[in-house]
């Protein structure tokens, strides 16, 4: 069990030798685009402790300053799409690009794939610095998450920032987040973590996404009939209690949250999610216990 692991010794894990930092997956999310451009100016001299592959994910969309050219690149990395044959001339550009990225950074789930991929996004929602991972057993990602939570005191999607705009504070927060991630990786690889410290009281604060909430819509035209309520707007990761205002109808009526438990909303009124039918997402807050880790190179 995790508790038994914690009482004995740190979990040995492979070193993180290849890292990918990607920006411009959405071409109008400019913080990541400008950070990647800045990183590309600095050529590696071969002495870096970690190999970093820096990629502009969707250069066509970035040139046009649009979210995507034909289809959302961030929805093209399914296992089926990644393992498919090379796209034809009629395939959406983003589908072809996803296969190019899979070949460059993968193949996905293969031994040749990069050890860690950091995909940079920003959002119109008031999320602060938000790290998204897809497993509560990915000890490396959870340790990085905890490492960033401590000095930055913020809940790598960063907002609020309008699409097509870059704000210096948002850019700086993203740049600091990437640097803190690299600092942790270098410490881990060098074996500077103690292999004997027990991991009691070692937790990462996470928000487990449960479901998405759409805007109220007209039953016939499907046009939205309300906006996010002013009392909820910009309150990402703040508890939403049953009965709290949720939407303000254009007719003036207030619609309230009818859930049975208090949950944490996030991506509130994200501009790009109107087309996806998402007004906000709801999550449950969790404290995930994580074991101490050490590099397998440390004996």
């Amino acid at each position: 069990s995790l508790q038994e692991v914690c009482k004995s010794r740190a979990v040995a894990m492979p070193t993180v030798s290849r890292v990918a930092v990607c920006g411009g997956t959405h071409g109008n999310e400019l913080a990541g685009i400008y950070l990647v451009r800045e990183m590309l100016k600095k050529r590696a001299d071969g002495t870096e402790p970690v190999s970093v592959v820096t990629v502009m994910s969707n250069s066509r969309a970035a040139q046009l300053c649009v979210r995507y050219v034909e289809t959302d690149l961030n929805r093209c990395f399914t296992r089926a799409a990644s393992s498919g044959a090379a796209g034809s001339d009629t395939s959406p550009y983003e589908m072809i690009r996803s296969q190019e990225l899979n070949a460059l950074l993968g193949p996905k789930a293969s031994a040749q794939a990069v050890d860690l991929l950091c995909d940079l996004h920003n959002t119109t929602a008031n999320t602060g610095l938000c790290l998204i991972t897809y497993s509560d057993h990915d000890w490396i990602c959870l340790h990085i998450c905890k490492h960033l939570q401590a000095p930055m005191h913020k809940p790598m999607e960063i907002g609020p920032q309008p699409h097509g705009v870059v704000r210096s504070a948002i850019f700086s927060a993203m740049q600091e987040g990437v640097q803190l991630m690299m600092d942790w990786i270098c410490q881990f690889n060098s074996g500077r973590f103690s292999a004997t410290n027990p991991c009691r009281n070692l937790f990462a604060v996470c928000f487990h996404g449960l479901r998405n909430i759409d805007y109220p819509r007209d039953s016939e035209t499907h046009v939205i009939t309300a906006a996010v309520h002013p009392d909820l707007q910009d309150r990402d990761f703040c508890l939403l209690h049953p009965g709290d205002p949720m939407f303000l109808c254009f007719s003036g009526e207030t619609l309230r949250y009818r859930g049975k438990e208090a949950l944490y909303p996030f991506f509130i009124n994200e501009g790009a999610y109107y087309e996806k039918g998402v007004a906000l997402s709801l999550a449950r807050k969790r404290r995930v216990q994580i074991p101490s880790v050490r590099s397998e190179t440390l004996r």
Side-chain angles (χ1 to χ4, degrees):
S1 69
L2 178 56
Q3 287 75 17
E4 292 171 341
V5 169
C6 291
K7 291 178 181 178
S8 58
R9 57 192 177 86
V11 175
M13 303 191 69
T15 56
V16 180
S17 58
R18 292 185 67 223
V19 176
V21 178
C22 302
T25 298
H26 295 136
N28 58 359
E29 297 178 7
L30 299 191
I33 290 173
Y34 283 105
L35 181 53
V36 162
R37 287 174 177 168
E38 195 66 23
M39 293 176 69
L40 286 170
K41 293 178 184 178
K42 303 174 182 178
R43 295 188 176 182
D45 59 10
T47 63
E48 294 79 8
V50 179
S51 173
V52 179
V53 182
T54 310
V55 180
M56 188 68 70
S57 300
N58 194 337
S59 56
R60 288 191 188 179
Q63 289 172 355
L64 296 171
C65 197
V66 295
R67 183 173 175 85
Y68 53 80
V69 178
E70 295 182 75
T71 191
D72 193 335
L73 177 60
N74 216 26
R75 307 298 186 270
C76 293
F77 293 101
T78 62
R79 194 172 298 275
S82 299
S83 62
S88 67
D89 293 339
T90 59
S91 298
Y93 164 71
E94 278 82 7
M95 187 60 70
I96 297 173
R97 182 57 178 155
S98 72
Q99 295 176 358
E100 293 173 349
L101 291 169
N102 186 55
L104 175 65
L105 305 176
K108 193 174 183 177
S110 72
Q112 293 74 41
V114 295
D115 300 314
L116 184 69
L117 190 151
C118 179
D119 193 23
L120 305 172
H121 292 259
N122 55 258
T123 172
T124 64
N126 188 30
T127 60
L129 179 64
C130 174
L131 306 181
I132 301 175
T133 184
Y134 295 95
S135 170
D136 60 2
H137 290 83
D138 188 331
W139 307 135
I140 296 295
C141 284
L142 288 173
H143 268 281
I144 291 172
C145 178
K146 182 173 178 60
H147 183 66
L148 268 67
Q149 284 175 343
M152 302 191 78
H153 301 289
K154 298 180 181 179
M156 158 153 349
E157 185 120 8
I158 302 182
Q161 177 171 281
H163 295 316
V165 169
V166 61
R167 288 180 171 172
S168 57
I170 298 295
F171 176 88
S172 296
M174 180 177 285
Q175 188 175 46
E176 182 182 1
V178 171
Q179 185 58 56
L180 286 169
M181 176 190 73
M182 296 306 303
D183 290 345
W184 186 92
I185 292 170
C186 289
Q187 290 181 39
F188 169 74
N189 286 350
S190 67
R192 276 180 271 171
F193 294 148
S194 171
T196 58
N197 285 343
C199 70
R200 61 178 181 272
N201 300 324
L202 189 58
F203 294 91
V205 177
C206 302
F207 294 85
H208 176 64
L210 299 176
R211 61 182 180 273
N212 299 325
I213 304 295
D214 193 5
Y215 296 91
R217 295 180 182 271
D218 182 274
S219 59
E220 295 182 359
T221 65
H222 301 292
V223 174
I224 65 172
T225 58
V228 170
H229 195 280
D231 291 351
L232 177 59
Q233 182 64 52
D234 298 327
R235 290 183 57 80
D236 296 72
F237 301 109
C238 296
L239 264 180
L240 179 68
H241 295 89
D244 284 350
M246 199 169 192
F247 296 104
L248 181 61
C249 295
F250 301 136
S251 63
E253 178 187 2
T254 293
L255 302 180
R256 299 181 180 273
Y257 171 50
R258 295 182 177 181
K260 295 182 179 180
E261 65 173 311
L263 294 173
Y264 291 85
F266 64 104
F267 289 152
I268 299 172
N269 204 18
E270 158 56 44
Y273 288 177
Y274 277 71
E275 69 176 47
K276 301 183 186 303
V278 177
L280 58 114
S281 299
L282 292 175
R284 189 176 288 125
K285 189 175 183 178
R286 299 174 55 201
R287 293 173 73 240
V288 178
Q289 188 175 11
I290 52 179
S292 297
V293 294
R294 66 177 175 85
S295 167
E296 285 183 340
T297 60
L298 181 63
R299 301 299 180 188

